[in-house]
Amino acid sequence: MTDAHRLRTDLSLRASGVLSLTTAVIAIHTLARLHPQTGPLAFLLAAIDFLCASAGTMLVVVGGHIHDPVSISARWQRAAR
């Protein structure tokens, strides 16, 4: 991968994280306006908020390093048969 491609991937992942956080904020405001109501719409908005906020925060913080390999200890590796 070239440096320009890596930078473009990193910036696009972080931008999609910001977009996801924006979606979470919109869901929170919509849920706050429905304050006295409970029902399927409130639970759907809460689920959208949780998922978008979690994924958005992870993408903004980690960015392009989400694709970095991770070493796994010998204890958790697959056993030879």
Side-chain angles (χ1 to χ4, degrees):
M1 246 192 225
T2 64
D3 287 336
H5 187 298
R6 189 170 290 135
L7 179 64
R8 187 172 53 227
T9 301
D10 185 54
L11 290 177
S12 65
L13 284 171
R14 290 180 195 268
S16 64
V18 170
L19 182 65
S20 182
L21 287 173
T22 304
T23 304
V25 168
I26 291 170
I28 288 171
H29 284 293
T30 306
L31 186 60
R33 280 188 269 144
L34 297 175
H35 177 63
Q37 276 186 334
T38 58
L41 180 61
F43 287 112
L44 178 67
L45 287 171
I48 289 171
D49 171 47
F50 176 75
L51 292 174
C52 288
S54 298
T57 302
M58 186 259 319
L59 286 172
V60 168
V61 170
V62 177
H65 293 286
I66 194 169
H67 300 295
D68 290 350
V70 177
S71 61
I72 299 173
S73 69
R75 178 180 179 185
W76 298 107
Q77 289 180 357
R78 192 174 290 214
R81 294 181 184 211

